[in-house]
Amino acid sequence: MESSSPFKENVLKGKVALLTGGGSGIGFEISTQFGKHGASIAIMGRRKSVLDSAVATLRSLGIPAVGFEGDVRKQEDAKRVIESTVKHFGKLDILVNAAAGNFLVSPEDLSPNGFRTVLDIDSVGTFTMCHEALQYLKKGGFGRDSSSGGMILNISATLHYTASWYQIHVSAAKAAVDSLTRSLALEWGTDYDIRVNGIAPGPIGDTTGMSKLAPEEISSKLREYMPLYKLGEKWDIAMAALYLASDAGKYVNGTTVVVDGGLWLSRPRH
Ligand code: HXC
């Protein structure tokens, strides 16, 4: 059952958000909650059917929404989708990088091209989107006034805080994403008044990540040593995103908020 939001409905009123991977999973829940809180939503993704159905659902909720096909690995797609978003809604305030690639594989079975593919999607894709969006997000950028810049939110993970089995590629990719978050927060915060933050979700129920990466057996075992004894919900991630994207988070820059119920630091009781 969906929880109601503790935020006022207008916390993102008038904002325009573009979300890569915003048509499914955690990305879609962020799209929905941003829309319910006043934002207009553009979604970028590779699969037309996913985009169409996400946009239809958002519109049925009264949320102004549009979908653009594109692959974050292609600079021309990034540029085109960002330009189309601005053409459609007049400006861009929030970029959410939620597109990610993943599969479980041991290092010895992972080809260098497989490794590169995930880094291309998660890390290079995030950089490319930020790079192409800068001219619209910066203070005084197209469609914005000269008093404030926009914000960037990068969806990360906690895998690389320690080490995670069969996730060498994703761990490396998300470590790079966290580093991008800090570097851009420093440089673009200073020069362009853009805030750049991340969210590192723990295990979230009902997502592709969980079904692909954590078979049944893991989710039941997890409960034995998870501090909060339960999986997170997509809603939990969306609420953290709302906090960071709204004025409530206006002094937060360069941080990646861990939303995992305390899981990454826990050890079995003995
Ligand atoms: C080993 C694999 C593989 C697998 C692909 N490769 N799948 N290697 N095991 N299961 C290798 C291929 O052999 C190939 O290398 C290279 O990766 C590229 O494969 P392609 O199939 O050509 O790539 P592509 O079609 O672009 O697909 C990208 C993908 C795909 C990442 C492989 O799975 C994908 O996009 N999935 C959808 C996105 C997704 O899963 N989202 C959920 C993210 S959850 P060679 O050498 O053979 O050419 C998430 C959570 C993280 O991110 C945190 C969890 C806690």
Side-chain angles (χ1 to χ4, degrees):
M1 203 187 71
E2 190 178 304
S3 315
S4 63
S5 164
F7 291 93
K8 286 189 177 154
E9 277 177 12
N10 64 357
V11 289
L12 294 184
K13 190 170 178 337
K15 303 284 185 192
V16 175
L18 168 62
L19 299 92
T20 70
S24 61
I26 287 172
F28 183 62
E29 180 66 16
I30 298 175
S31 298
T32 306
Q33 293 296 344
F34 277 16
K36 283 184 172 177
H37 290 80
S40 298
I41 305 296
I43 293 174
M44 175 178 180
R46 284 184 294 165
R47 291 168 295 170
K48 185 166 186 321
S49 57
V50 173
L51 286 178
D52 287 348
S53 126
V55 166
T57 304
L58 292 173
R59 287 183 180 166
S60 74
L61 296 168
I63 296 166
V66 63
F68 298 111
E69 268 181 86
D71 187 332
V72 297
R73 289 172 285 187
K74 297 183 182 144
Q75 189 178 355
E76 62 275 18
D77 285 14
K79 191 172 157 51
R80 172 181 48 78
V81 169
I82 291 164
E83 281 172 3
S84 303
T85 301
V86 172
K87 204 165 168 196
H88 192 87
F89 289 124
K91 61 172 181 162
L92 178 65
D93 299 295
I94 301 165
L95 169 66
V96 180
N97 291 298
N102 210 344
F103 45 84
L104 290 175
V105 65
S106 61
E108 54 274 35
D109 291 333
L110 176 63
S111 70
N113 191 45
F115 183 86
R116 184 182 300 115
T117 297
V118 170
L119 267 86
D120 271 348
I121 299 170
D122 295 22
S123 322
V124 185
T126 293
F127 178 76
T128 303
M129 291 301 298
C130 294
H131 186 268
E132 296 302 321
L134 172 62
Q135 61 176 306
Y136 302 104
L137 290 174
K138 69 184 183 184
K139 186 169 63 177
F142 186 88
R144 353 181 28 89
D145 62 34
S146 55
S147 64
S148 66
M151 79 89 65
I152 295 172
L153 179 62
N154 296 326
I155 305 303
S156 187
T158 59
L159 303 168
H160 53 292
Y161 295 175
T162 52
S164 301
W165 285 91
Y166 312 128
Q167 292 279 275
I168 191 170
H169 44 334
V170 186
S171 301
K174 296 299 194 183
V177 167
D178 290 356
S179 185
L180 289 177
T181 297
R182 288 188 289 267
S183 295
L184 292 180
L186 169 71
E187 301 206 39
W188 290 1
T190 309
D191 291 343
Y192 304 119
D193 193 46
I194 296 172
R195 289 189 300 117
V196 187
N197 292 295
I199 296 177
I204 303 298
D206 194 22
T207 58
T208 312
M210 269 308 277
S211 51
K212 273 175 100 171
L213 309 179
E216 199 74 0
E217 155 243 334
I218 299 195
S219 21
S220 52
K221 258 199 219 154
L222 270 177
R223 287 156 215 255
E224 289 168 24
Y225 60 92
M226 282 178 78
L228 296 182
Y229 297 101
K230 58 190 174 199
L231 296 178
E233 298 169 14
K234 289 178 277 193
W235 183 90
D236 295 308
I237 307 305
M239 291 302 113
L242 266 178
Y243 162 69
L244 291 170
S246 70
D247 275 352
K250 69 183 171 53
Y251 199 55
V252 184
N253 190 28
T255 201
T256 294
V257 177
V258 180
V259 183
D260 77 336
L263 178 64
W264 85 267
L265 42 69
S266 78
R267 292 289 176 275
R269 200 190 295 260
H270 56 83

